Amino acid sequence: MTPALTIADKLREARVRSSLSMNDLAKLSGVSQPTVSRVESGQSQPSAATYLALLQAAGFYDDGTQVVPVSRPSATWTARWLLGDLDDKPEDADRWVGGWQRIGLVGDDLAVLDVEGLLFRAGRSAVLTRRPGSFDVQNPQQWSAREVAARLRTAGVEHAVTGDEALEQMGAPLIPVAPVVYVSDMRAAIAALGTAPCLPADWRRRKVSLVPFDTASETGRWQADGGTWFASQVQVVLDGYGGYGRMVEQTQALVRWLEEERR
């Protein structure tokens, strides 16, 4: 039997999976760096409030047996606003901006000091397929995101492709695998695809990830040749960092392009 994870194990896993240094986690959480070090090494037991603050800063929660990532899309909305890709200041922006200022990503004047760092940190705070209201549906026909989009368009469902197929459209050198599409109406989208939701145990099966529009992700979408709607290019980059595996690696190839677009 695998031994139960300790608090030290869980905190270390959350920090490493969120790509934070101990110093960054300390600054984001308001807990001192020596305290973070002692907790991770098992030298001290944190209070419940301290443990919660550290996990929340890393973007995780403890379900009793393991740490699980929490998707916080307001991070991406705030990043888009700071980069000039959204006009209206998001409701939760001050909290995100304060943390990013403490780790040197944003200046006191709200200027973005590290574009790649901001995109990475905001994207990792909003795990793409764990967005509230998202569904994974079966894809036995192995449809591409463009084929999914065509079916949604025929059914009158507003949509925007993101994920690796959108990254490819923007020039990232990858082979698309699992379609990820924002939709305006989840029920209508599932009906249009004529498929069924995947059960949690079916995570290895071919699937389409459907993510609901949230008043921000639909802003700035654009249409490519063939009529496929894609999410805002900044949103696509942020979503790439909120994905897994090679999607994150290929997203990095687009950051220089994005910085040049802002000049």
Side-chain angles (χ1 to χ4, degrees):
M1 179 181 294
T2 304
L5 294 175
T6 65
I7 284 179
D9 296 330
K10 291 176 179 178
L11 180 59
R12 187 182 310 108
E13 179 182 349
R15 181 181 63 77
V16 171
R17 286 175 63 183
S18 61
S19 302
L20 288 169
S21 66
M22 285 189 187
N23 193 42
D24 283 347
L25 180 58
K27 290 178 179 178
L28 288 172
S29 64
V31 177
S32 72
Q33 194 274 334
T35 298
V36 176
S37 179
R38 287 196 298 272
V39 172
E40 278 202 17
S41 65
Q43 294 177 1
S44 70
Q45 192 79 351
S47 67
T50 296
Y51 182 50
L52 180 61
L54 290 168
L55 284 185
Q56 286 181 337
F60 284 75
Y61 72 92
D62 188 336
D63 72 355
T65 58
Q66 61 183 339
V67 288
V68 180
V70 178
S71 184
R72 299 172 292 174
S74 59
T76 64
W77 309 339
T78 302
R80 286 183 63 184
W81 172 67
L82 288 170
L83 292 167
D85 198 46
L86 284 181
D87 293 332
D88 296 329
K89 180 180 179 180
E91 195 171 302
D92 207 21
D94 289 341
R95 180 172 67 86
W96 290 110
V97 170
W100 294 335
Q101 287 174 329
R102 289 193 293 275
I103 60 176
L105 301 180
V106 177
D108 292 338
D109 59 355
L110 300 185
V112 177
L113 305 178
D114 180 351
V115 173
E116 182 175 1
L118 177 68
L119 290 167
F120 178 81
R121 181 54 47 214
R124 296 305 281 173
S125 296
V127 185
L128 181 55
T129 55
R130 283 185 172 270
R131 300 281 175 86
S134 298
F135 275 94
D136 287 339
V137 297
Q138 297 172 18
N139 186 16
Q141 295 88 348
Q142 300 182 35
W143 290 325
S144 68
R146 287 172 177 79
E147 289 171 324
V148 169
R151 284 164 172 77
L152 295 175
R153 186 168 62 249
T154 298
V157 179
E158 296 291 323
H159 62 277
V161 173
T162 187
D164 51 10
E165 226 161 310
L167 289 168
E168 181 196 40
Q169 176 72 28
M170 291 166 59
L174 50 72
I175 299 174
V177 180
V180 185
V181 186
Y182 287 106
V183 297
S184 59
D185 186 324
M186 189 64 66
R187 288 180 180 272
I190 294 174
L193 297 179
T195 185
C198 291
L199 297 174
D202 293 339
W203 67 273
R204 290 183 181 275
R205 299 180 67 173
R206 293 187 180 276
K207 63 184 180 181
V208 176
S209 294
L210 300 175
V211 184
F213 279 146
D214 47 35
T215 73
S217 58
E218 59 266 48
T219 302
R221 67 185 184 129
W222 55 284
Q223 200 168 22
D225 293 341
T228 299
W229 285 96
F230 290 87
S232 156
Q233 292 171 325
V234 179
Q235 184 71 56
V236 169
V237 172
L238 286 160
D239 288 344
Y241 279 126
Y244 297 99
R246 293 188 68 246
M247 197 160 114
V248 175
E249 296 172 16
Q250 302 306 331
T251 300
Q252 292 173 325
L254 296 175
V255 173
R256 183 173 299 173
W257 164 84
L258 181 60
E259 288 179 318
E260 290 173 354
E261 287 289 304
R262 295 181 65 238
R263 293 189 182 121

